[in-house]
Amino acid sequence: MNYNKILLCVFLICNIALSQQKITVEEIYTGAFRAKGMDELQAMKSSNQYTVLNSDRATKSQQIDLYDYATLKKVTTLVDSKNLKELADGIDSYTFSTDEKQILIATNNNPIFRHSFTADYYLFDIATKKIAKLFTQVQEPTFSPDGTKIAYAMANNLFVYEIATSTTTQITSDGKKNAIINGITDWVYEEEFAFVRAFDWSADSKKLAYIRFDESAVPEFSMNIYKKELYPTVETFKYPKAGEKNATASLFVYDIALKSSKAINLGNYSDFYIARMKWTNDANVLCAQVLNRHQDNLDLIFVDGTTAVAKVVLNEKDTAYVDITDNLTFLKDNSFIWTSEKDGFNHIYLYDKTGKLKNQITRGNWEITAFYGFDEKNKTIYFQSTENGSTFRDVYKISLDGKKKVRLSQQMGTNSATFSPNYDYFINSFSNATVAPTYTLNSSVDGKQVQSIVDNKLLVEKLKNYNLPTKEFFELTTEKGFKLNAWMIKPKDFDATKKYPVFMYQYSGPGSQQVANDWLDTNDFWFMMLSQQGYITVCVDGRGTGFKGAAFKKCTQKDLGKYEVEDQIDAAKVIGNYSYVDKTRIGIFGWSYGGFMSSNCILKGADVFKMAIAVAPVTNWRFYDSIYTERYLQTPQENASGYDTNSPINFASKLKGNFLLIHGTADDNVHFQNSMQFIEALVQANKQFDWAVYPDKNHGIYGGKTRIQLFNKMTNFIKEKL
């Protein structure tokens, strides 16, 4: 071989090596592939502008910057932390007063549970640039509509602060840890109804409605917290498990002038949830969404703020359960927009102020997935839907009469919108599995792009060095005839004549979705890493998952884990018959509900799956919370078989393959108890398996090097066992 040929070979080998740069767990979990976005993007209400929270790494500071919607040019920097010693700890979040002349800035956040936190709060006056500390470690401070007061919660009580006089009025005084909570939700409401602030100002700023939770009779759950102390401490909180006593919720209206609270009699309810509460556009009418304990009956109730008289204006029933809605929007005359899946798919409805149906605005075998707002001037509704397929999201507008529907998004993938206050423009966030997130300014008339705002070209260029495969979407049909959304990631150098091991990933919980055509998350990059090591990753959304209609979603009712597990096993059998798959080397992985699923799959599909990894799994639904579990299973007292026939603990003796069980000891959501009892069942069944415990880590199992160690452990387990 001559010298030139040797040089050419060396050059080609180097090029191949460069084009196949390997992804590492360390890169993934230190943010090397994180996409740029628009942090804390907020549309202003009184001007055609928006704000974004920007960061300056050089000065280690943050800025709240104001931009013009029409030109995208920065108008000004409203707040710069480098000029304010009070914000040395950074800006965690911010809210404007209604007149947008003052900003309430949160700093020094301290998480409580998934959504809740305490923080220090500063009031910043935009005109004078003066900043003043108002509160230390309080929850949910909220401006009154007239901007003169701020209501907030501290130590389970509610307070109102008057800005002009710097005086504070205490509204409640009976708040007590693990007993009474005023204006802030309890653990189970926060986790399952996904809200923390349980108080709201009336439109005229004269009244404050709030929910009071009496959790005195709710059983307590305790966790050891180890840290590095000689003796562990114990964290105890109220946690109603399935079939156990819930907190008693009651609704009150506080009159600011009279300084007195009035209890609201919502009606003849015995065991119920106040799942949502807010004032309508009528300053004297409060509304609440009340669910019975089974969650198959929802009443929308209007309350007269003066007389405290309550009446049901809308009722929805379902043989399974009724989803609460955050899309309730009141028009100027107090008629309202409501979303419901009562016709089998989630759609938009218009009711008059008495609750009489005026019009079903959208219809079809697709779902409304976000409600963006109503333009009173043009009588136009803006929304996001799955009309072009359940794995896609598009932005639309439609007239209030259900006519003139226009698709505003231009590209196939996942689109979401932030509209300008006058609805002339919207900022469109777009991505799909091959296009990194982009933010563009678009016209609300026809959806056409006006200007690019943010792209991720640098990330895309960086990823070219890794020569990554693409995520392929397809519809998998099981032998039983069920058509299921799926995606597959093959090695870049895929050879159809070879046999590959398959690693299946899923979540599978009711109404969830993992097969969505959007940009890659951290899990996806891990799967790409596995593809570089010769594995195919597959994800299948089985029955019970969302966005394909109510019947598909609710078929698992009273039998969680039956059809979902059947579908994963059946999908694995179909995949195992692909010519390029080694059917003796199929594994499965999941976290939380997905861990419950992967545990059941390795037990009930013992001849199909060679290995499984379960992270923070529910192993017996009797251990999980009341709201979530009873929504799908009713209570253990009513449906014992629904709990027991799909509990991994009861099938430990069926374990054949390789199993890795992982849990954090401070998991306030899916308690470590789940894994401890499962471990004991596996031990008594004389089964060998692997397990990893993360001290003081919650349901997310993160912090410091935790995610790196965890995903390296799982990677090594896959390489050894699959």
Side-chain angles (χ1 to χ4, degrees), residues 200-205 207 278-287 302-306 311 330-335 353:
D200 195 42
W201 286 100
S202 62
D204 60 6
S205 304
K207 296 183 178 71
K278 70 175 183 178
W279 289 92
T280 70
N281 278 344
D282 183 331
N284 205 43
V285 177
L286 174 70
C287 77
F302 281 7
V303 179
D304 186 297
T306 304
K311 63 178 179 180
F330 290 93
L331 281 53
K332 283 183 177 175
D333 64 356
N334 234 34
S335 59
K353 65 180 182 181

Side-chain angles (χ1 to χ4, degrees), residues 151-153 156-160 170-174 180-184 195 197-202 207-213 249-256 259-264 266 274 277-279 286-287:
Y152 65 94
N156 290 16
N157 281 313
L158 271 178
F159 301 81
V160 169
Q170 185 165 346
I171 292 175
T172 67
S173 57
D174 59 347
I180 305 294
I181 315 172
N182 292 288
I184 296 292
F195 75 110
R197 180 169 63 85
F199 64 85
D200 195 42
W201 286 100
S202 62
K207 296 183 178 71
L208 191 75
Y210 63 94
I211 305 174
R212 176 183 184 269
F213 295 88
S250 47
L251 186 61
F252 289 83
V253 173
Y254 177 82
D255 188 297
I256 300 295
K259 294 187 176 181
S260 63
S261 289
K262 185 180 292 184
I264 305 298
L266 288 169
I274 306 173
M277 173 274 296
K278 70 175 183 178
W279 289 92
L286 174 70
C287 77

